[in-house]
Amino acid sequence: MASHVIDMIMLKNNFGTEEMREVWSDKNRLQKHLDVEAALAEAEGELGVIPEKAAEVISLHSDVSMFNIEEIAKEVLRLKHSLTPTINAMQKLCGEYGEYVHYGVTTQDVVDTGAMLQLKEANKIIVRELKDVCKELIKLAEKYKTVPIAGRTHGMQALPTTFGFKMTVVLSELSRHLERLKQSEERVFTGVIAGAVGTYASFGERGMDVEKLTLGKLGLNVPQICWHSSRDRISEYADIIELISGTLGKLGNEFYNLMRTEINEIEEPFSKGKIGSSTMPQKRNPAAFEGLSSLTRPIFHSTSLIHESLIVEHERDAVSWRAEWIALPEICIYISSQLASAKAVLKGLVVKPENMLKNLNMQGGLIMSERILFELGKKLGKQTAHHLVYEMAMDSFENKKPFKEVLMNNVQVTSILSEEKIDELLDSKTYLGLAVQKVDKVLDEIKKSGLV
């Protein structure tokens, strides 16, 4: 019975997708180990390291359906070794040619290379889903690039921006993560077939040839030198996943706050029958936004565990290595859920422009004080204008007076600005800077980049 949220029947779909769980399943892990053993045998057969017939037989017996995973698991417990039972089972299937199974390699060669095959599969899913999320952000950016919303700094209203601009900031961030994934592929997706301490000693003179040919068959890059004790590739990939998760978590948290009853500028997709509370029937909770944000912390912690694997004793050890077995599947499974959730909420996001405008105007024009400042500054000087507008802004806020009223009662202001000009300057919809133009520029650059 499952004892982790990743596999619990009632919870697993909140923490990962079925597609990604399959990548990191027992069955797929074993198949990848068998794929490595088969490619190794084929390469050694072609190079004359083992008989060609042995290579052929080993290759024919490298399908996971031929193996009893439960029996192998029992043998792992008995032998206290994670791979030997697989080797023994394969040897038995191959008969007399079983003597050539796992010829020259060490356990870590097979497990690390198998893990890279799994990670490469996971990466295809992650890239595909990340592109889909970006496509949804592009749609929102284009649709709402002119829709004004209060920009907030330190949790408080600051200046007007647009909802499309906010979405473009997130889109730009995620596009950089796509670049990082692409740039890392050549470094990260690298196998290793180098023997016990990485010197190819058991292969004789053909060691480097065996490694190159084996990894070529598997579609993996060839390392410059053995990386049993160099875990930077996995840490690098984990870092990128952590960055993606950070962006998605931030987006979920932002949406969570914008959905607050008192702000009410957006709402997550709502379906008939969705329950917000077991005791408060009226609740329409931001459950999807919370779920999107909640997975960032587990990914941060699992990534930290992967980084601890960078400290390896001598040529290799299992203490650091096993931490990756725990954390690498976790971050891939968690990020699959975050990406799927992000895509769903963006696709069905309810945007409320009327509430965005209402919130912009809730302080009676105070959000436009910067615009007033700079207009007055043309006559008074910027710093002098700042002091003047500050006093009026504080009067407006503390005495609950409309900002326009305070402005109109100041002789210094009215000697420079007419009432008509003040009305024009207090219109938040016309103080968006270059937000719209910037959105158009970023969207054009991303579309031309071919990343999405």
Side-chain angles (χ1 to χ4, degrees):
M1 182 173 288
S3 58
H4 193 292
V5 291
I6 283 174
D7 297 310
M8 288 180 178
I9 292 173
M10 292 191 291
L11 293 178
K12 63 183 181 181
N13 292 323
N14 293 323
F15 292 88
T17 64
E18 190 63 38
E19 184 181 24
M20 188 62 83
R21 283 193 294 271
E22 180 58 35
V23 171
W24 298 100
S25 67
D26 283 318
K27 182 179 178 181
N28 196 46
R29 184 174 189 267
L30 176 56
Q31 182 60 68
K32 293 301 180 283
H33 293 172
L34 299 174
D35 289 343
V36 176
E37 296 287 1
L40 171 67
E42 289 169 10
E44 291 177 324
E46 291 175 31
L47 294 170
V49 177
I50 67 173
E52 288 186 17
K53 183 61 178 177
E56 180 185 340
V57 171
I58 292 169
S59 184
L60 286 172
H61 293 87
S62 60
D63 191 300
V64 71
S65 64
M66 299 177 178
F67 294 76
N68 186 321
I69 295 178
E70 294 294 335
E71 287 302 316
I72 291 174
K74 290 177 183 176
E75 283 295 285
V76 168
L77 184 62
R78 187 179 72 85
L79 298 179
K80 307 296 187 292
H81 194 276
S82 64
L83 189 66
T84 297
T86 300
I87 299 167
N88 292 344
M90 197 172 201
Q91 179 182 356
K92 186 176 180 181
L93 284 171
C94 293
E96 62 180 298
Y97 296 106
E99 294 293 337
Y100 297 100
V101 170
H102 197 70
Y103 197 86
V105 288
T106 190
T107 294
Q108 192 155 348
D109 287 331
V110 175
V111 175
D112 276 350
T113 303
M116 280 301 175
L117 292 174
Q118 287 177 280
L119 190 59
K120 192 174 180 181
E121 279 187 7
N123 181 67
K124 287 181 181 178
I125 298 170
I126 291 166
V127 170
R128 183 196 71 211
E129 293 295 289
L130 185 52
K131 285 182 177 181
D132 284 348
V133 170
C134 287
K135 288 173 185 174
E136 294 302 325
L137 284 167
I138 288 172
K139 292 176 188 175
L140 289 170
E142 287 178 330
K143 185 174 181 178
Y144 297 106
K145 65 183 177 183
T146 63
V147 173
I149 186 174
R152 297 171 172 94
T153 59
H154 307 283
M156 310 299 286
Q157 287 197 6
L159 285 174
T161 181
T162 77
F163 188 66
F165 188 90
K166 286 171 71 73
M167 295 301 95
T168 304
V169 171
V170 179
L171 171 64
S172 177
E173 199 169 325
L174 290 178
S175 73
R176 291 194 294 278
H177 299 332
L178 278 171
E179 285 182 18
R180 292 180 177 106
L181 285 171
K182 187 174 182 180
Q183 291 164 357
S184 72
E185 286 180 1
E186 188 174 349
R187 287 189 301 274
V188 171
F189 300 128
T190 301
V192 58
I193 302 292
V197 294
T199 61
Y200 311 103
S202 56
F203 297 108
E205 295 298 318
R206 307 306 301 271
M208 289 187 230
D209 297 327
V210 169
E211 181 175 60
K212 182 177 181 181
L213 188 54
T214 301
L215 298 181
K217 289 176 179 293
L218 294 168
L220 294 174
N221 297 314
V222 180
Q224 187 177 49
I225 196 168
C226 175
W227 57 273
H228 291 159
S229 61
S230 300
R231 315 311 293 178
D232 58 293
R233 289 180 174 87
I234 291 174
S235 270
E236 177 182 359
Y237 193 83
D239 275 339
I240 300 172
I241 298 302
E242 183 178 40
L243 289 171
I244 297 169
S245 181
T247 302
L248 296 177
K250 176 178 65 176
L251 179 63
N253 188 66
E254 179 71 7
F255 282 170
Y256 170 92
N257 280 293
L258 294 181
M259 189 175 160
R260 287 179 185 274
T261 306
E262 294 80 5
I263 297 177
N264 193 27
E265 293 176 346
I266 64 166
E267 186 177 359
E268 71 179 38
F270 186 84
S271 56
K272 185 176 176 59
K274 179 181 176 183
I275 302 297
S277 168
S278 62
T279 187
M280 295 172 284
Q282 88 282 5
K283 294 294 292 294
R284 287 168 70 115
N285 287 340
F289 295 157
E290 289 175 313
L292 177 59
S293 182
S294 69
L295 287 171
T296 294
R297 288 174 179 82
I299 287 178
F300 282 1
H301 285 285
S302 291
T303 299
S304 177
L305 182 58
I306 287 174
H307 289 335
E308 291 188 30
S309 296
L310 289 166
I311 307 299
V312 180
E313 292 201 3
H314 307 300
E315 276 55 60
R316 56 193 172 93
D317 71 77
V319 175
S320 58
W321 192 32
R322 289 188 178 195
E324 294 173 355
W325 299 3
I326 299 167
L328 189 58
E330 284 182 345
I331 65 171
C332 290
I333 291 170
Y334 292 150
I335 198 67
S336 73
S337 178
Q338 276 195 299
L339 288 165
S341 179
K343 185 165 64 170
V345 299
L346 290 170
K347 192 183 290 286
L349 190 68
V350 178
V351 180
K352 303 179 179 181
E354 68 283 358
N355 287 352
M356 293 175 179
L357 185 59
K358 183 178 73 173
N359 290 338
L360 267 172
N361 297 325
M362 71 185 300
Q363 288 188 302
L366 273 176
I367 198 170
M368 302 305 295
S369 66
E370 180 192 78
R371 194 180 196 184
I372 298 292
L373 180 160
F374 277 102
E375 190 65 27
L376 291 174
K378 294 174 183 177
K379 295 285 188 181
L380 303 177
K382 189 262 181 181
Q383 292 306 112
T384 298
H386 185 282
H387 295 313
L388 176 62
V389 175
Y390 170 80
E391 293 299 331
M392 290 187 290
M394 294 304 103
D395 182 23
S396 172
F397 183 87
E398 292 169 5
N399 296 303
K400 297 181 175 56
K401 299 177 185 176
F403 191 40
K404 178 184 174 181
E405 178 184 318
V406 176
L407 292 171
M408 291 298 299
N409 287 335
N410 187 287
V411 176
Q412 203 171 2
V413 172
T414 55
S415 68
I416 299 171
L417 303 176
S418 66
E419 183 175 2
E420 182 181 7
K421 185 63 175 178
I422 289 172
D423 286 336
E424 177 188 323
L425 294 173
L426 291 178
D427 184 358
S428 58
K429 299 190 297 298
T430 61
Y431 195 58
L432 301 174
L434 298 175
V436 177
Q437 295 92 320
K438 194 64 174 177
V439 170
D440 287 336
K441 185 174 186 295
V442 173
L443 293 183
D444 184 59
E445 289 172 353
I446 288 175
K447 289 174 183 177
K448 287 180 178 177
S449 73
L451 283 169
V452 178

